[in-house]
Amino acid sequence: MTSSDVGRTRQSAIYRAGTFGHRPAVPTDGARLAAAAEKAMSRRAFAYVAGSAGSEATARANREAFARWRVTPRMLVDVTERDLSVELLGRRHPTPFLVAPIGVLSMAHPDADSAVARAARTAGTTPVLSTQASMPMEEVAAELGGHPHWYQLYWSSDDELAASLVHRAEACGSEALVVTLDTTYLGWRPRDLDLGSLPFARGEGLAQYTSDPVFRRLVEERVAAAGPEPAARERPTPAAVRSLLAISRNHPGPTRTNLTAPEPRAAVETFLDVFSRPSLTWEDLAVLRELTTLPVVLKGILHPDDARRALDAGVDGLWVSNHGGRQVDRSVAALDALPGVVDVVRGADAPVPVVFDSGIRSGADAFVALALGADAVGVGRPHVYGLALAGEDGVTEVLRNLAAELDLTMALSGCRSLADLTPDRLVQT
């Protein structure tokens, strides 16, 4: 299927609406999109989404890496018909964009993961459902209505819980399992730290856990071991009351009941205990293979040697990412790491798809990443900003705008398909 009308159709729709006084729901420029979202979101919510580790040098490096590349357009090429589609893990995707997994979407909009799922379906983009979602995966899959999706796994320190999440992902139709490797601990994030704000401590982003039978059993065991709660001796502070209300609202069941029940607070404490497994090693991938027949993609690969080990372990895909700069301050920029990983994969006996994220803000950015060897790119913060500004419609517009700009960039550079996006289309400054 050709996509010769993707860019012009989107462009024309915006201009036609403009003649009647209607402007896009979200800015079409990445920087203005972030600025508009900051005005729309609470201080705590924007800090969580936009913030990065330490001095945020990695986040800046991600953007600076893109700034070092320039596209070299070629002329007199018939680009009447163009094809943005790509084959990934046995399915043909209309565009090379994936909706990257981002947790706690309820901080951006009350419709949260549900709105993103509907928007992804409308835009023909495959979403990757987050372990830290605001809605259970089964509800999100129902919203997708058969539209393809992947599931992102944070490997819990409780292996039975991790297995349960994997089996649920299989049951609700996930087509791949994306194992995030770079979050064995939360990075040092000053924007959140200075606000004393961790959404999970308020019960936000725990829907995959509180809907899980293994996790609920762990909570019940904690409550039984603790026994009756002692009577409060001091008057709670307003902040403590607000936190209790938040935990009660975010936990399944009536808020009024949750206010006096021990389970909501025990769920938060249990999550903080089991969130991640820092002891995870390459040997554990064999355990995962025994748990599922789904294709396994490893997310967070930056070093060529790790790419080699992953291929030796028989994984089905690699995801080059530094978590948008959120985990390690002064990390290598993801785009700078991409060519080294691609070289390893392309030289393998059985190459696998390479997905890229961290720094994508435009269709032109996607062009660069694809030309450097990525097979697909993940859209992270921009789709959350669209969600904050206009809910489902905002996410749809962001995804459509990115595809439109990529399509026009390809056409104006003499590229008819993603196969034409090769390193010789770029120059480095």
Side-chain angles (χ1 to χ4, degrees):
M1 177 181 177
T2 62
S3 57
S4 58
D5 60 346
V6 169
R8 290 182 63 188
T9 298
R10 179 66 187 144
Q11 196 177 58
S12 297
I14 292 174
Y15 287 142
R16 286 195 181 100
T19 62
F20 295 96
H22 303 295
R23 295 184 179 181
V26 299
T28 59
D29 171 79
R32 288 195 290 272
L33 174 65
E38 183 173 11
K39 294 178 181 178
M41 299 171 76
S42 70
R43 186 182 178 194
R44 187 171 63 88
F46 189 77
Y48 178 76
V49 175
S52 295
S55 66
E56 304 196 344
T58 304
R60 291 192 296 274
N62 284 338
R63 295 300 304 142
E64 290 165 358
F66 279 99
R68 290 193 290 272
W69 290 99
R70 298 287 185 268
V71 176
T72 304
R74 301 297 300 274
M75 299 297 110
L76 295 176
V77 179
D78 182 356
V79 291
T80 305
E81 294 187 348
R82 299 175 303 284
D83 184 4
L84 268 65
S85 68
V86 61
E87 182 86 12
L88 295 173
L89 303 178
R91 178 184 286 276
R92 197 77 186 174
H93 296 248
T95 76
F97 293 101
L98 300 172
V99 180
I102 293 186
V104 204
L105 292 176
S106 58
M107 296 184 76
H109 193 277
D111 288 346
D113 306 86
S114 174
V116 171
R118 293 192 299 269
R121 184 184 61 198
T122 299
T125 308
T126 296
V128 185
L129 311 188
S130 172
T131 295
Q132 302 309 136
S134 299
M135 297 176 61
M137 65 181 86
E138 292 82 2
E139 293 182 22
V140 181
E143 292 283 0
L144 286 165
H147 183 76
H149 68 274
W150 297 0
Y151 179 73
Q152 173 248 7
L153 175 71
Y154 282 125
W155 198 313
S156 170
S157 62
D158 186 289
D159 287 344
E160 189 179 356
L161 173 58
S164 181
L165 292 169
V166 170
H167 295 324
R168 288 172 59 200
E170 286 183 318
C172 70
S174 299
E175 294 187 353
L177 194 66
V178 179
V179 184
T180 297
L181 305 176
D182 57 15
T183 317
T184 50
Y185 296 99
L186 289 180
W188 185 259
R189 302 173 187 172
R191 294 202 205 194
D192 293 332
L193 290 164
D194 289 350
L195 293 173
S197 174
L198 179 66
F200 314 121
R202 296 165 58 89
E204 298 177 88
L206 304 187
Q208 306 294 22
Y209 298 87
T210 56
S211 60
D212 191 274
V214 173
F215 183 82
R216 289 199 299 266
R217 191 198 72 219
L218 295 175
V219 172
E220 291 169 0
E221 291 172 355
R222 177 184 287 267
V223 170
E229 292 188 342
R233 296 181 179 180
E234 298 180 3
R235 184 180 181 86
T237 65
V241 172
R242 288 193 295 270
S243 294
L244 177 59
L245 284 170
I247 291 170
S248 301
R249 291 192 186 104
N250 289 309
H251 194 80
T255 300
R256 185 183 296 274
T257 302
N258 287 340
L259 281 170
T260 56
E263 285 79 10
R265 281 165 288 174
V268 169
E269 293 165 358
T270 302
F271 165 76
L272 295 174
D273 282 348
V274 304
F275 162 64
S276 64
R277 185 178 153 191
S279 63
L280 199 67
T281 68
W282 292 101
E283 286 68 32
D284 291 303
L285 294 179
V287 176
L288 186 61
R289 281 299 190 194
E290 294 176 359
L291 288 176
T292 182
T293 59
L294 290 177
V296 173
V297 179
L298 297 187
K299 184 175 185 289
I301 299 296
L302 295 170
H303 197 287
D305 288 348
D306 285 344
R308 291 187 187 93
R309 293 204 66 172
L311 294 178
D312 290 342
V315 301
D316 304 286
L318 300 180
W319 192 313
V320 176
S321 170
N322 60 26
H323 217 101
R326 293 168 65 77
Q327 284 300 97
V328 177
D329 196 20
R330 305 197 180 282
S331 166
V332 61
L335 192 72
D336 290 341
L338 177 62
V341 173
V342 168
D343 285 346
V344 170
V345 171
R346 298 296 181 259
D349 293 335
V352 300
V354 175
V355 182
F356 171 88
D357 77 23
S358 299
I360 295 289
R361 297 294 180 269
S362 68
D365 291 341
F367 184 105
V368 170
L370 294 164
L372 290 176
D375 296 292
V377 293
V379 181
R381 290 181 177 99
H383 87 261
V384 185
Y385 297 152
L387 177 68
L389 289 168
E392 175 186 343
D393 291 342
V395 180
T396 303
E397 286 199 15
V398 167
L399 297 176
R400 284 178 167 168
N401 291 346
L402 288 169
E405 186 181 0
L406 172 60
D407 180 50
L408 289 172
T409 304
M410 288 174 58
L412 294 168
S413 301
C415 298
R416 290 176 288 203
S417 73
L418 298 185
D420 292 333
L421 274 61
T422 52
D424 60 355
R425 297 284 182 169
L426 307 174
V427 294
Q428 192 169 18
T429 60

